[in-house]
Amino acid sequence: MGDVWIFAEVSEGRPLDVVYELLGGGRPLADDLGGKLAAILPWGADQAGEASTKEAVVRDLIASGADLVYVVQSRELVLRQEEPHAQAIYELANQYRPDVLLFGATTFGLSLAPRVAAKLGTGLIANCTTLSIDKGSGLLLMTRPAFEENIMATMTCPDRRPQMATVRPRAMKRLTPDPGRLGEVLTVVCDLPSPGARVVEVVKEDQDQAVDITDAKIIVAGGRGIGCKENLEMLEELAHLLGGAVAVSRPVVDAGWAPESRQVGQSGKIVSPKLYIACGISGAVQHTAGMSSSDIIVAINKDPGAPIFDIATYGIVGDVCQIVPALIRELKGRR
Amino acid sequence: MDYSLTEEQRMIKDLASRIARERILPEAARLDEAEEFPWEIMRVLGESDLFGVWIPEEYGGLGGGVFEQCLVMEELSRACAGVATSYAASALGAFPILLFGTEEQKQKYLPDIASGKRLAAFALTEPDAGSDAGNIRTTAVRDGDSYILNGTKQWITNGGEAEVYTVFATVDRDKGVRGITAFIVEKGTPGFEFGKKEKKLGIRSSSTRELAFRDCRIPRENLLDREGKGFIVAMRTLDRTRPGVAAQAVGIAQAALDLAAAYAMERVQFGKPVGEFQAIEHMIADMATQIEAARALTYSVARMIDAGARDFSKESAMAKVFASDVAMKVTVDAVQIFGGYGYMRDYPVEKLMRDAKVTQIYEGTNQIQRSIIGPQVLREAARRKAGQAKGITNS
Amino acid sequence: MHVLVCIKQVPADPSAVKVDRKTNTLIREGIPVVVNPFDLFAIEEALRLRERMSSSGQKGRVSVITMGPPQARSALEEAIAMGADDAVLLSDRAFAGADTLATAYTLSRGIRRIEDSTGAKVDIVICGRQSTDGDTAQVGPELAEMLGIPHLVRVRKVESLTRESIRVERIADGGYDVIESCLPVLLTVEKGINQPRVPSLRGLMRARKAGIPVWGAQELGVEAQQVGLAGSPTRVIRVFSPERQRRAEMLTGSPEAVARLLVDRLMTAM
Ligand SMILES: Cc1cc2nc3c(=O)[nH]c(=O)nc-3n(C[C@H](O)[C@@H](O)[C@@H](O)COP(=O)(O)OP(=O)(O)OC[C@H]3O[C@@H](n4cnc5c(N)ncnc54)[C@H](O)[C@@H]3O)c2cc1C
Ligand SMILES: Cc1cc2nc3c(=O)[nH]c(=O)nc-3n(C[C@H](O)[C@H](O)[C@H](O)COP(=O)(O)OP(=O)(O)OC[C@H]3O[C@@H](n4cnc5c(N)ncnc54)[C@H](O)[C@@H]3O)c2cc1C
């Protein structure tokens, strides 16, 4: 039938951003396959009381692209407990046999999806950044980075179903919600065995920095080439003028100039802002892995051969300590 | 160059190099800046069995010799010469026990030193007795079943950090060097105190302190060898440890060359990497050649000692002089190749230059080493001449 | 108590692996290999759990297992040098080309065979959070499912351990969860859960001589079509280097001039 399912991970009664991105990415797949786009919404005991919230979430999922929402209810579907979630999805998939099953590559998604894949005896492609349907074979083409982002691989799951993948947050674009869209809702009440592992406490940790760079639409990033810690202030000023946040590359964190929460790259955060200004960043893959999907990349670097220029939209060869103050003056002058 | 290491020696070198890379290098700049003793690294070296490479198996070691010790020194020094000094000073303090200790003393002290549980130190130098070590003033007076020590030692590596000290004192100043006697003194003995920690030019993560003995009573069993044999204990020990200083120098120099060569390929001036200017290229050629020569000499001397040679003062001094002079020259050249960046403390080459200097000074200054080598060469020449007169050919 | 660690041998520098443009395959030859860095934390945690047990009077045993080519023996040697009691190498031409599902299946059969030989269940299986080459983080959870035991990913601390249960902290998005699980259980551990020890020289010498059994398809009692490429549902159809074509528009001039040019461009583009 060619249905495409996405797992709607919910936190505190709200689907995560990646859920809407999965709907955005799943929509064309379902259209190409001539099937439905369905969201699986687990609804556990802790959220069950808030029926109005549930309905709002369902409406929201439909508005964002879903044709069908499976609301799976069980008191075991609370918190991030893999075993009952896996069992519920397994039963549902066995019954309705989707062609494609997608999860967000969140910590929970990356833990749950392989458990489901092993139950279903099917393949699973991790951390995908692009999904499409091969016109000839009708197979799902799943593309993902590997080897520290050094290599991209396009993979398929030819013989077993569903074709499963986890999808990187921010890799797909959400659709503009259409409150007028119509969709079906199917509520499934599951009787799930109690799990061997139970969450006994959920602790929120203060993100040591108030700014979450993954949310910033504009990022001014500093690398080793900024020279010293003090020069970060100049980047802060530029970021402030642009309404953005400051991020850094690994060497800057290693030097103790900035906290790890600001680090972009392979071992740091993955960001995808509208504008990324890379100041004194050479552009090693370890860094670009975390920002290469930014819409506009501006590179400022002394070394004309720096690899950052290979992925930049605009390049400026020069000293950060001269260019950035000039930019600040220019922006102030235009106010 | 291939030095035909045995499988075990290769394992030792690889492990030392791995610890150097993974545990020491990332910490080196910080330890240098903070002048902090590398306790955590000492613990890792202990757990990895590296403190015991030169100690016989019956005393908890791995049964290697001076050569194995040199392999470790070279690798550690590539990452941080201060750490290597702290490691080496323990061997320097413990060698007298292995060479001259009684079976009981060896059983008592060596296993803990081999496992790194306790560090050792070697206390010879005094404010008025440096090169002229025969002139020490710390006294040891026999009192029944003990000796009472009085005096001050200066610039003792691992001072304060070590648990076991080989201390040289005189039982009779009138006897000159024949009055010098070696003792084992444990930290915590009443009357044994530590003075200030020195601030140094280089090897700043190592700790160098003054030791003060005030009516410090130590049991007679802690006498090493016999009364009056201390100077021989000291000289024989230093003959065996100087190749370690040479290996340290080789390690420092190698680190400098590696950085300089990489930088020379990276740094572009006048449109090309500076390494493509012949002036720089030739400097690098000389650095590499000198280092290889120093390494070859050091390894040969270490192997000669381990093979059971009887007299190797000259060779040991040669290795130390040559390698430390090479290290000094090479590190100065490395700073030169880095230009202004080399002078900045943000880059690691200036530290190598600061660290290299001490290898020309401690365990006998290079002037003193030449005073060991020169006279012996002349003596050998004289002997050869006498032999020729008698019609004996010698090669 | 029996703790089993799954380790994988990976290229020392995964970014050095290149694509052969003609055949579209990965060039792995001649690239030095190491134990997957994440797995060193797994080994260390197992050794610490053993120490914890012995201090509470229980006997602990740490075994290590890997599926890989014959050269993967050196990864197991490293684990023994760190202090693991014994190791098993799962190696067979038929295992080659496995995806995570086939890998987890093969490992599960290896573990079953170990359990048959000891007559007891493995109590705790520990994996690294992910490998640095394939980088999927899937083998652990898939293996747990096949063994029929719970799994806890991204464990950053083991709070307590009894004969029947374990309590851990695992990293979650935006904080951490405290979880309690019955045994047997599978954990995948986070970097930084501990500081892996460096092997000792004595350990290295012991490892060099250690007898490490090699089990193939026959020993595991598996069919060739259940393992390796044949047993893998996924297929790599193309590998390529991420595109890096020079497309930057270079802005030149004085700092003031380039600043003006850039701000102009950004105003129209955004
Ligand atoms: C470019 C590329 C992309 C790939 N993408 C996928 C994909 O998306 N999905 C897929 O199913 N396969 C994929 N594979 C195949 C997969 O990587 C296999 O190599 C698989 O054997 C191991 O998976 P992993 O490296 O991702 O391990 P991970 O799941 O990341 O490893 C986690 C832990 O599992 C344990 N472990 C992993 N492998 C072994 C082993 N051989 N022996 C013992 N313990 C082990 C270790 O404790 C390790 O720390 C890909 C391979 C390549 C080359
Ligand atoms: C960092 C550091 C750590 C040390 N650690 C220890 C330790 O752990 N244990 C220990 O016992 N000592 C230690 N020392 C002391 C070291 O061994 C002495 O510094 C060294 O022997 C030189 O003595 P001096 O400094 O008193 O120089 P001096 O003997 O005063 O020499 C001054 C100068 O005169 C030259 N000179 C002296 N005599 C002659 C001569 N006859 N002919 C030609 N030139 C001569 C010297 O070469 C030198 O250039 C350490 C020193 C340093 C710097």
Side-chain angles (χ1 to χ4, degrees):
Chain A
M1 255 301 283
D3 282 356
V4 175
W5 285 13
I6 64 119
F7 174 69
E9 183 179 348
V10 179
S11 170
E12 291 170 352
R14 278 184 44 202
L16 304 181
D17 287 352
V18 72
V19 172
Y20 300 102
E21 294 159 18
L22 287 174
L23 288 171
R27 189 66 259 170
L29 305 179
D31 293 345
D32 284 358
L33 290 170
K36 284 186 183 134
L37 177 62
I40 310 172
L41 177 66
W43 209 256
D46 58 344
Q47 297 140 350
E50 303 158 43
S52 59
T53 327
K54 183 177 75 184
E55 264 145 40
V57 169
V58 169
R59 264 200 311 276
D60 202 17
L61 292 173
I62 292 172
S64 302
D67 301 316
L68 170 61
V69 179
Y70 292 99
V71 182
V72 189
Q73 286 189 194
S74 161
R75 73 190 148 79
E76 294 296 351
L77 295 177
V78 288
L79 301 167
R80 294 174 274 250
Q81 298 187 149
E82 289 86 350
E83 295 162 88
H85 279 89
Q87 185 63 29
I89 298 168
Y90 166 74
E91 287 176 10
L92 211 59
N94 247 356
Q95 189 175 348
Y96 297 100
R97 309 214 166 255
D99 206 31
V100 173
L101 174 52
L102 308 176
F103 292 75
T106 59
T107 296
F108 184 57
L110 288 169
S111 177
L112 173 61
R115 188 120 204 164
V116 174
K119 271 186 196 292
L120 292 165
T122 190
L124 172 64
I125 308 302
N127 279 312
C128 296
T129 50
T130 321
L131 300 175
S132 63
I133 301 293
D134 181 58
K135 290 270 168 336
S137 62
L139 288 176
L140 178 64
L141 302 178
M142 299 167 267
T143 299
R144 60 165 304 225
F147 293 91
E148 297 192 336
E149 318 281 330
N150 179 41
I151 278 166
M152 303 293 288
T154 300
M155 307 185 63
T156 59
C157 180
D159 303 320
R160 303 196 207 176
R161 291 293 173 274
Q163 306 168 78
M164 288 181 64
T166 54
V167 178
R168 247 195 209 176
R170 286 159 215 281
M172 321 233 136
K173 303 258 180 257
R174 58 167 82 198
L175 305 173
T176 315
D178 171 6
R181 275 203 77 209
L182 296 179
E184 289 171 69
V185 185
L186 210 94
T187 300
V188 188
V189 179
C190 286
D191 186 19
L192 299 169
S194 64
R198 271 191 185 280
V199 177
V200 293
E201 194 186 346
V202 175
V203 183
K204 286 240 164 350
E205 269 189 341
D206 293 350
Q207 245 41 44
D208 47 343
Q209 219 61 37
V211 251
D212 183 356
I213 50 171
T214 57
D215 278 344
K217 296 276 174 279
I218 292 176
I219 290 180
V220 179
R224 200 203 305 268
I226 62 169
C228 66
K229 186 176 176 171
E230 286 62 41
N231 285 340
L232 274 175
E233 284 166 24
M234 157 179 104
L235 302 192
E236 286 283 0
E237 187 178 357
L238 178 59
H240 180 74
L241 283 168
L242 292 165
V246 168
V248 297
S249 68
R250 171 81 185 267
V252 174
V253 173
D254 285 349
W257 299 347
E260 223 181 300
S261 58
R262 299 281 185 130
Q263 185 185 325
V264 164
Q266 169 74 25
S267 52
K269 301 229 161 82
I270 314 277
V271 298
S272 170
K274 285 203 164 345
L275 171 63
Y276 191 95
I277 306 184
C279 307
I281 291 178
S282 67
V285 285
Q286 287 79 352
H287 182 76
T288 56
M291 46 68 73
S292 55
S293 64
S294 308
D295 291 349
I296 299 175
I297 297 171
V298 176
I300 305 172
N301 204 295
K302 265 197 291 216
D303 175 7
I308 189 76
F309 290 118
D310 298 353
I311 60 161
T313 325
Y314 303 109
I316 297 172
V317 176
D319 187 347
V320 170
C321 297
Q322 290 178 356
I323 308 293
V324 172
L327 270 171
I328 291 172
R329 282 193 299 274
E330 179 69 26
L331 286 166
K332 280 186 174 160
R334 294 207 190 192
R335 286 202 144 174
Chain B
M1 212 143 111
D2 179 16
Y3 290 100
S4 312
L5 303 189
T6 63
E7 192 187 345
E8 197 164 306
Q9 288 163 347
R10 180 138 289 289
M11 225 185 250
I12 290 172
K13 185 177 156 74
D14 288 349
L15 183 60
S17 140
R18 176 167 163 190
I19 294 175
R21 232 180 16 249
E22 292 177 6
R23 298 296 172 91
I24 305 179
L25 201 56
E27 286 286 289
R30 190 185 65 78
L31 292 169
D32 177 65
E33 191 68 31
E35 302 189 53
E36 182 185 312
F37 188 77
W39 270 118
E40 173 57 21
I41 295 168
M42 292 295 121
R43 194 186 58 73
V44 171
L45 292 174
E47 281 180 357
S48 66
D49 300 328
L50 287 177
F51 274 107
V53 287
W54 57 277
I55 295 177
E57 285 170 278
E58 59 263 45
Y59 307 117
L62 288 156
V66 171
F67 184 48
E68 281 76 10
Q69 154 90 351
C70 285
L71 292 174
V72 177
M73 278 302 283
E74 182 181 340
E75 294 305 323
L76 299 186
S77 303
R78 285 174 73 165
C80 176
V83 168
T85 296
S86 312
Y87 165 83
S90 196
L92 179 62
F95 249 118
I97 303 178
L98 178 65
L99 296 177
F100 299 95
T102 61
E103 186 57 27
E104 272 172 0
Q105 289 169 333
K106 292 184 202 173
Q107 291 290 357
K108 180 169 176 192
Y109 293 107
L110 294 179
D112 279 355
I113 289 166
S115 69
K117 221 188 242 161
R118 303 170 101 192
L119 294 178
F122 180 89
L124 177 63
T125 305
E126 295 183 2
D128 293 320
S131 300
D132 187 8
N135 189 37
I136 57 171
R137 295 185 182 173
T138 298
T139 56
V141 177
R142 175 83 181 270
D143 179 34
D145 264 352
S146 28
Y147 284 91
I148 295 169
L149 265 54
N150 272 293
T152 304
K153 293 288 168 185
Q154 178 175 265
W155 303 340
I156 305 310
T157 303
N158 285 355
E161 322 291 347
E163 303 278 335
V164 181
Y165 296 78
T166 298
V167 177
F168 297 87
T170 175
V171 290
D172 186 349
R173 280 212 72 191
D174 293 342
K175 286 193 183 153
V177 296
R178 290 205 174 73
I180 297 178
T181 307
F183 299 92
I184 304 170
V185 184
E186 294 188 39
K187 182 175 175 176
T189 309
F192 174 21
E193 266 145 35
F194 303 106
K196 71 168 184 344
K197 182 171 164 175
E198 302 291 346
K199 293 191 171 146
K200 305 191 292 292
L201 171 73
I203 57 165
R204 288 162 43 129
S205 64
S206 72
S207 94
T208 313
R209 276 204 181 81
E210 189 180 78
L211 315 184
F213 300 93
R214 282 190 207 89
D215 293 331
C216 175
R217 184 181 288 272
I218 55 166
R220 196 164 158 232
E221 334 51 291
N222 285 15
L223 171 67
L224 261 177
D225 208 85
R226 281 178 284 123
E227 278 189 15
K229 284 287 288 290
F231 199 69
I232 292 177
V233 170
M235 295 305 124
R236 288 277 150 80
T237 296
L238 291 167
D239 282 348
R240 268 169 206 274
T241 56
R242 278 181 192 128
V245 178
Q248 176 175 35
V250 171
I252 296 170
Q254 185 68 51
L257 172 62
D258 292 347
L259 288 169
Y263 186 78
M265 295 308 296
E266 232 172 55
R267 174 69 176 176
V268 174
Q269 289 292 286
F270 302 99
K272 58 181 179 177
V274 296
E276 286 175 20
F277 297 110
Q278 206 174 51
I280 301 288
E281 204 173 56
H282 284 186
M283 263 166 101
I284 286 179
D286 285 344
M287 289 159 82
T289 309
Q290 288 164 343
I291 293 170
E292 210 53 66
R295 181 180 288 118
L297 176 59
T298 303
Y299 286 9
S300 301
V301 174
R303 284 173 155 161
M304 168 186 170
I305 297 172
D306 291 341
R310 279 181 54 81
D311 188 4
F312 41 80
S313 305
K314 178 187 74 182
E315 289 77 7
S316 177
M318 284 173 162
K320 196 252 177 193
V321 167
F322 187 73
S324 59
D325 285 351
V326 163
M328 201 64 242
K329 174 150 192 343
V330 165
T331 53
V332 169
D333 287 349
V335 170
Q336 192 66 23
I337 291 172
F338 267 75
Y341 292 98
Y343 201 73
M344 301 301 155
R345 273 162 50 184
D346 286 341
Y347 288 77
V349 272
E350 58 83 37
K351 172 178 186 290
L352 294 168
M353 182 177 116
R354 289 186 284 111
D355 287 351
K357 185 65 208 173
V358 81
T359 61
Q360 294 179 308
I361 297 174
Y362 63 13
E363 300 205 16
T365 64
N366 281 7
Q367 287 71 25
I368 295 298
Q369 304 308 303
R370 291 185 165 93
S371 301
I372 295 173
I373 301 163
Q376 193 166 330
V377 173
L378 295 173
R379 266 200 305 281
E380 285 163 10
R383 228 178 289 140
R384 217 164 18 245
K385 202 166 176 198
Q388 273 161 1
K390 283 191 210 140
I392 304 164
T393 47
N394 202 337
S395 57
Chain C
M1 204 176 260
H2 195 176
V3 183
L4 182 132
V5 189
C6 299
I7 68 173
K8 184 183 188 189
Q9 195 171 54
V10 298
D13 177 8
S15 62
V17 175
K18 295 276 171 303
V19 177
D20 182 330
R21 296 215 172 274
K22 284 204 204 91
T23 61
N24 249 339
T25 51
L26 299 174
I27 311 170
R28 293 192 190 224
E29 280 76 43
I31 291 184
V33 287
V34 294
V35 175
N36 176 28
F38 288 89
D39 298 347
L40 295 175
F41 296 88
I43 299 167
E44 178 67 34
E45 201 54 30
L47 298 174
R48 292 188 184 192
L49 289 178
R50 186 180 65 190
E51 283 157 19
R52 229 189 245 231
M53 290 166 209
S54 76
S55 67
S56 68
Q58 280 189 67
K59 244 185 82 67
R61 171 175 161 193
V62 173
S63 304
V64 193
I65 194 169
T66 189
M67 181 193 84
Q71 307 84 279
R73 182 190 150 98
S74 64
L76 297 172
E77 282 183 12
E78 166 122 4
I80 291 178
M82 284 172 74
D85 297 293
D86 45 70
V88 176
L89 172 61
L90 307 182
S91 193
D92 194 313
R93 278 177 174 271
F95 298 162
D99 69 2
T100 59
L101 196 78
T103 301
Y105 176 69
T106 310
L107 290 172
S108 74
R109 296 300 295 246
I111 293 172
R112 288 289 181 238
R113 182 162 172 174
I114 291 174
E115 290 175 337
D116 287 346
S117 71
T118 60
K121 287 257 169 230
V122 167
D123 300 279
I124 303 176
V125 180
I126 309 186
C127 290
R129 175 184 163 187
Q130 68 196 57
S131 72
T132 51
D133 56 351
D135 194 9
T136 66
Q138 291 176 180
V139 171
E142 290 181 338
L143 175 58
E145 175 60 34
M146 290 172 188
L147 294 172
I149 61 178
H151 78 269
L152 310 172
V153 296
R154 303 193 64 185
V155 171
R156 67 166 202 190
K157 186 175 171 195
V158 174
E159 285 190 350
S160 63
L161 174 67
T162 70
R163 262 171 223 276
E164 291 85 35
S165 71
I166 190 166
R167 192 183 164 101
V168 307
E169 283 177 20
R170 75 162 178 201
I171 296 185
D173 294 325
Y176 65 94
D177 298 336
V178 181
I179 304 202
E180 214 163 74
S181 174
C182 59
L183 300 186
V185 68
L186 181 144
L187 316 176
T188 83
V189 297
E190 194 67 20
K191 260 185 183 171
I193 182 173
N194 53 41
Q195 157 96 277
R197 69 196 65 187
V198 173
S200 67
L201 281 171
R202 282 198 183 78
L204 286 166
M205 288 169 194
R206 187 168 74 90
R208 200 56 64 97
K209 295 186 204 112
I212 297 178
V214 182
W215 296 344
Q218 204 177 349
E219 285 82 358
L220 298 185
V222 295
E223 302 288 326
Q225 63 271 25
Q226 296 173 287
V227 295
L229 188 61
S232 296
T234 67
R235 286 287 177 274
V236 178
I237 58 168
R238 190 164 92 92
V239 284
F240 55 102
S241 309
E243 50 185 285
R244 299 211 185 288
Q245 78 267 36
R246 180 172 288 274
R247 59 183 171 90
E249 179 190 345
M250 301 305 285
L251 309 178
T252 52
S254 68
E256 279 64 32
V258 294
R260 198 170 323 117
L261 287 172
L262 180 62
V263 175
D264 285 344
R265 297 222 174 5
L266 295 180
M267 303 259 270
T268 44
M270 289 182 66

